[in-house]
Amino acid sequence: MNELIFKLKKSYLCIENKKIIIASLLIFNLILSFSKYDITDLNFFQFILYNIYNIYYLFMIFLVILIILFSNLQKKRQNLSLILKLKNKSDYIEYIIENFIFSVCVVLSINFFVVVIFSLILFHGNYGLGNIPYYNISYFIYLIFFYVRIALIFMIYGIIIILLEKNFGKFVSLGGCLFFCLNLFIPLNNNVVENILAMKWVGNAYLSFVQYPTFMTEVFCSTLYILVLMIVVYVLIYLYKKNNNDVI
């Protein structure tokens, strides 16, 4: 546990432009919260969910992750002592990915607490847990699930972009950034998934509101989508280790 806390602290200190990032998150969350502060027909956790569902909010979070990603890559590329220390490609790519994951975890954790604090300040309504009618689970449980899913998907998107850069260069990596950004805005023809066979393979389906027959169906479809993304990650790691001679 102490080691995990140490890594999180170290990751926070190593984040480039962290003051700008945190300030941007504070301002954006404040604007979103104020835009909905007069809504009183929702409970507290619904209010937070409605803020997070916002596509512009998700786009802002993803841009912050991209800033962290490219800042970390640039810093590690210029760190000659690190390059000399991590001569093995497996060690190098694992270090880059681990550092990125911890940095994103720190920023997203800070962001979540900011959302909750602003919601506590601005919300005036029912603070009960309440249940989602068609799932029969509390909005609190769904909020945690939804935010963790966002974090996992965005982290995997980031790892894929890192590996694209390492395997194919900056232009392909930038193409990956553009693809994932556009993926956030792809409209969904139907916001209802009737069964597992009808699950959606567009990222936006797991970053916005989509109704499933049961909560476990949503969990299963989300897990399957994330597993497919992880397969892409492992393929790209394999290609990097196999085809590249240089560590960087």
Side-chain angles (χ1 to χ4, degrees):
M1 189 64 175
N2 290 334
E3 184 179 351
L4 176 61
I5 294 172
F6 173 76
K7 285 186 176 181
L8 290 172
K9 287 182 178 179
K10 183 179 178 181
S11 297
Y12 174 75
L13 294 173
C14 291
I15 295 173
E16 297 290 316
N17 305 312
K18 54 180 168 287
K19 291 183 180 179
I20 296 174
I21 290 172
I22 301 302
S24 300
L25 290 173
L26 285 170
I27 294 169
F28 201 87
N29 279 299
L30 184 61
I31 293 171
L32 278 179
S33 298
F34 262 118
S35 69
K36 296 180 174 64
Y37 83 100
D38 57 344
I39 299 175
T40 57
D41 57 342
L42 306 175
N43 69 39
F44 177 68
F45 298 104
Q46 279 179 287
F47 179 78
I48 298 175
L49 273 170
Y50 269 55
N51 281 325
I52 297 174
Y53 278 145
N54 189 301
I55 190 63
Y56 298 105
Y57 175 87
L58 294 173
F59 182 67
M60 181 272 297
I61 292 293
F62 190 55
L63 284 182
V64 167
I65 288 174
L66 290 180
I67 292 171
I68 294 170
L69 186 157
F70 286 111
S71 297
N72 282 1
L73 282 178
Q74 185 64 26
K75 186 175 181 179
K76 300 299 181 293
R77 195 179 288 114
Q78 294 173 349
N79 192 337
L80 295 178
S81 61
L82 174 65
I83 294 170
L84 292 173
K85 180 181 177 181
L86 301 172
K87 294 180 181 179
N88 183 285
K89 288 191 295 184
S90 297
D91 292 342
Y92 178 76
I93 201 63
E94 287 173 7
Y95 178 84
I96 294 294
I97 291 173
E98 181 183 287
N99 187 265
F100 168 72
I101 289 173
F102 275 103
S103 298
V104 171
C105 283
V106 169
V107 171
L108 290 183
S109 297
I110 292 172
N111 181 72
F112 184 78
F113 284 114
V114 168
V115 174
V116 172
I117 290 169
F118 282 157
S119 297
L120 283 169
I121 294 170
L122 297 171
F123 180 72
H124 301 286
N126 176 19
Y127 285 87
L129 291 176
N131 278 2
I132 300 177
Y134 47 85
Y135 282 167
N136 198 30
I137 63 166
S138 72
Y139 282 103
F140 171 74
I141 292 175
Y142 189 76
L143 169 63
I144 300 301
F145 163 75
F146 186 78
Y147 198 79
V148 169
R149 183 173 65 185
I150 289 173
L152 286 174
I153 290 175
F154 277 169
M155 275 193 283
I156 297 172
Y157 283 175
I159 293 169
I160 290 173
I161 291 168
I162 290 172
L163 292 168
L164 287 175
E165 197 264 352
K166 294 301 177 186
N167 278 292
F168 308 109
K170 291 182 180 179
F171 287 108
V172 176
S173 178
L174 291 173
C177 293
L178 181 61
F179 172 79
F180 287 130
C181 286
L182 293 175
N183 199 33
L184 297 176
F185 293 94
I186 294 175
L188 299 175
N189 296 327
N190 188 358
N191 287 339
V192 176
V193 173
E194 296 179 354
N195 53 62
I196 292 173
L197 296 178
M199 72 171 285
K200 299 179 184 296
W201 292 98
V202 179
N204 189 28
Y206 302 97
L207 302 168
S208 59
F209 178 76
V210 175
Q211 183 178 335
Y212 294 79
T214 65
F215 177 61
M216 291 311 299
T217 304
E218 182 169 356
V219 171
F220 177 83
C221 291
S222 302
T223 303
L224 188 57
Y225 178 74
I226 290 170
L227 284 175
V228 170
L229 290 178
M230 288 302 300
I231 290 172
V232 174
V233 167
Y234 283 116
V235 169
L236 289 172
I237 289 175
Y238 172 78
L239 290 175
Y240 171 76
K241 292 179 179 179
K242 181 179 180 182
N243 298 327
N244 287 281
N245 296 320
D246 299 324
V247 171
I248 59 171

